Amino acid sequence: MTDSENGRRLHAVDDALLRRREAISDLGDALRLLIEHATATEAPTEELRRAAERIRQAAAPLGERARGRHEPPSADDMRAGVRLYNPVTGAGSAFAPPLEIHQEGEITVGACTLGLAFEGPPSYAHGGVSAMLLDQMLGYAAGASGNPGMTVRLDTGYRRPVPLLTPLRLTAEVVDVDGRRVTVAGSIATAAEPGEILVAATGVFVGLRAEQARRLFGAIAGRGEESRAG
Amino acid sequence: MTDSENGRRLHAVDDALLRRREAISDLGDALRLLIEHATATEAPTEELRRAAERIRQAAAPLGERARGRHEPPSADDMRAGVRLYNPVTGAGSAFAPPLEIHQEGEITVGACTLGLAFEGPPSYAHGGVSAMLLDQMLGYAAGASGNPGMTVRLDTGYRRPVPLLTPLRLTAEVVDVDGRRVTVAGSIATAAEPGEILVAATGVFVGLRAEQARRLFGAIAGRGEESRAG
C-alpha cells in the first residue's frame, strides 16, 4: 500500500468512528427525551402499554451484538478521556443529564439541568444525584490537576434542596495534593444564584499504583494505562 | 348513589389505579432493558440511527400529556410511600436498578445488580452511583425507625470498587436519634461475600419543621404531610 492509500484508509476509519460517536450521541438524546416523557407522562394507561411494546421492539436489534463487562465500547478512547457512556457526563448515557464540564484556570466548572427523572423530595433532586454530580466534578478536577485517582472518600453536606428543571452551576477545585492523595472541594448552586451554595462536598482521590491498576483492570480488553476514577 | 353503587365505583377506581401502576412498572422494565442494550450495543452505526428514530416515535405520545415540576404523578401515593419514579427504587424509573429494600428487624436490607449503564472505572460502578444507593438506603432506614428526614450529610468511604453485573447486598441501621436529627450507617457488599464491605457510609437526616415543609413543598399540588427525603 502506498503512503497515500494508507492515509486515505486511516482517514476513512476516523470518519466511521466520528459518525458512530455522533450516532451514539443522537441515541443518547433520544433516550433522555424518552425518559423525561416517560417520567412526566399522564397519558392513558393503554398508551403506556403501547409505548412499552414499541420500546422493546427498538431495544431488540441493539441487544443482538453486545459487549461484555470487560470489553470497553469500541467508540470510546480511554487514553484520550472519551467515555461516551459515563453515567454523569456521557453523551450516549441515558442517565447523564449530561453534565458539561470545563476548566477555567484552576477551577473546574460544570453545568446541567436536572429533569423530573432525578426527583427525590417532591420537585427537588434526589440527594444521591447531587452526590453523583459532585463525585464526577471532584474526580475531573483531580484529573485536570494532573493527579487522576479513584474516589476513596466523598463527604457531602446538603444545605438547601436542589431544584429540578433549573440551570445549575457546579464548581470544584483541588485544595491539597499529598503524594498520590488529592483532596478536592466542590459545590452545587443554581446558575441564577451562583453564590448561594446548595450542596458542598469534599472528596479524596488516590492514584493507583501500577500493581493495583493491574489487579483491578487487568481483565479489561485493550485497556490503557489511565486510572481515572468514576 | 346507593352505598353499593358507591362501593362499586371506588372499587373500579382502585382497579384502574392498580392497572396503571402495573403499566408504569412494565414501561420501567422496557426502559431499563432498552438502556442496558443501548449501553452495551456494538450494533452497526445505521442500526443506532434507526433505534433513535424508533425511540423518538415511542416518546412522542407520552409527551402529549405531561405533568409539571409541582404536580406529583397521579399513580403515586406519597402518604403511603408509593413513589413509582424514585430514581433508585422506583419500578417506573429508567434509572433505578431498581434497588429492592426491606426491613429485617432493626436492619434495613437492600438488593440490586448494576448493569453496564452504571459504569465509572472500567467494569466497576461509578462512585456516585454507590453514594446514590446509600443515600436511599440510609434515608429509608431513618424513615423505618419512625424518624423520616431530609439528608443533611452523607459521608461515603470507598474501600474497594463495586463490580457491575454482580448481585449486591446493602445494609443500613440507625445509630443515633437526637431530636429531629437521625444518624444512620450503611454499607455495600456483594451478595456472595456480605462480610467484605466495599463502600461504607454515614448519613445524617433531619425531620422538617412544619414551617420548613410549607416553604419547601407548599407549591406541590395535593401534597401530604410527609417529609421523606430522597
Side-chain angles (χ1 to χ4, degrees):
Chain A
M1 200 185 303
T2 66
D3 276 3
S4 155
E5 276 167 349
N6 201 19
R8 275 199 300 276
R9 176 172 287 203
L10 280 173
H11 190 66
V13 169
D14 282 352
D15 272 359
L17 179 59
L18 289 178
R19 275 202 308 277
R20 185 166 185 83
R21 287 182 181 167
E22 279 172 13
I24 289 170
S25 281
D26 181 51
L27 180 53
D29 284 341
L31 289 169
R32 290 184 288 268
L33 176 81
L34 169 63
I35 289 171
E36 200 54 16
H37 281 357
T39 306
T41 194
E42 289 294 345
T45 298
E46 316 82 70
E47 198 62 68
L48 305 187
R49 292 285 186 186
R50 269 194 292 276
E53 196 178 316
R54 286 190 192 113
I55 288 165
R56 287 193 170 93
Q57 283 165 8
L62 298 178
E64 279 168 24
R65 280 173 59 179
R67 64 190 170 89
R69 182 187 154 203
H70 297 288
E71 295 166 83
S74 62
D76 273 8
D77 181 345
M78 244 174 261
R79 282 170 209 248
V82 178
R83 301 287 306 275
L84 292 165
Y85 299 100
N86 178 295
V88 181
T89 56
S93 166
F95 299 168
L99 176 65
E100 311 255 357
I101 307 183
H102 69 275
Q103 199 66 14
E104 295 182 5
E106 304 278 284
I107 314 282
T108 299
V109 177
C112 69
T113 297
L114 300 172
L116 293 177
F118 296 93
E119 185 175 74
S123 82
Y124 297 102
H126 192 285
V129 170
S130 296
M132 193 158 168
L133 296 175
L134 284 164
D135 181 53
Q136 185 71 29
M137 286 292 297
L138 273 48
Y140 184 101
S145 76
N147 303 280
M150 303 262 292
T151 317
V152 296
R153 284 210 63 79
L154 181 69
D155 296 342
T156 310
Y158 298 84
R159 301 182 193 175
R160 296 177 59 182
V162 174
L164 299 176
L165 302 177
T166 304
L168 301 176
R169 176 185 159 87
L170 297 92
T171 59
E173 190 173 11
V174 170
V175 292
D176 187 57
V177 180
D178 178 11
R180 292 181 302 111
R181 191 179 177 87
V182 191
T183 305
V184 190
S187 65
I188 304 177
T190 62
E193 294 185 271
E196 179 81 53
I197 292 176
L198 306 175
V199 185
T202 303
V204 177
F205 298 80
V206 172
L208 294 179
R209 292 185 300 269
E211 137 273 334
Q212 289 176 306
R214 265 194 304 276
R215 182 165 50 77
L216 293 176
F217 303 119
I220 305 298
R223 74 192 178 84
E225 273 79 60
E226 59 74 56
S227 60
R228 261 291 284 112
Chain B
M1 200 184 303
T2 65
D3 276 3
S4 153
E5 278 168 349
N6 201 19
R8 276 199 300 276
R9 176 172 288 204
L10 280 173
H11 190 67
V13 169
D14 282 352
D15 273 358
L17 179 59
L18 289 179
R19 274 202 309 277
R20 186 167 183 83
R21 287 181 181 167
E22 279 171 12
I24 288 169
S25 282
D26 181 52
L27 180 53
D29 284 340
L31 289 168
R32 290 183 287 268
L33 176 81
L34 170 63
I35 289 170
E36 200 53 18
H37 280 359
T39 307
T41 195
E42 289 294 344
T45 297
E46 315 82 71
E47 197 61 69
L48 305 186
R49 291 286 186 186
R50 269 194 293 275
E53 197 178 314
R54 287 191 192 113
I55 289 165
R56 287 192 170 93
Q57 283 164 8
L62 298 178
E64 280 169 23
R65 281 172 58 181
R67 64 191 170 88
R69 182 189 153 200
H70 297 289
E71 294 167 82
S74 62
D76 272 8
D77 182 345
M78 243 174 263
R79 282 170 209 247
V82 178
R83 301 287 306 274
L84 292 164
Y85 299 100
N86 177 294
V88 181
T89 57
S93 165
F95 299 167
L99 176 65
E100 311 256 358
I101 307 184
H102 69 276
Q103 198 67 14
E104 295 182 4
E106 305 277 284
I107 314 282
T108 299
V109 177
C112 70
T113 297
L114 301 172
L116 292 177
F118 296 94
E119 186 175 74
S123 82
Y124 297 103
H126 193 284
V129 170
S130 295
M132 193 158 168
L133 296 175
L134 284 164
D135 181 54
Q136 186 70 30
M137 284 294 296
L138 273 48
Y140 183 101
S145 76
N147 303 281
M150 302 264 290
T151 318
V152 296
R153 283 210 64 78
L154 181 69
D155 296 342
T156 310
Y158 298 84
R159 300 182 193 176
R160 296 176 59 182
V162 174
L164 300 175
L165 303 177
T166 304
L168 301 176
R169 176 185 159 87
L170 297 91
T171 59
E173 190 173 11
V174 170
V175 292
D176 187 57
V177 180
D178 178 11
R180 293 182 302 111
R181 190 180 177 85
V182 192
T183 306
V184 190
S187 65
I188 305 178
T190 63
E193 293 186 90
E196 179 80 53
I197 291 176
L198 306 176
V199 186
T202 302
V204 177
F205 298 81
V206 173
L208 294 179
R209 292 186 300 270
E211 139 270 334
Q212 288 175 307
R214 264 194 306 276
R215 181 166 49 76
L216 292 177
F217 303 118
I220 306 297
R223 77 192 175 83
E225 274 79 59
E226 58 74 57
S227 59
R228 260 292 285 110

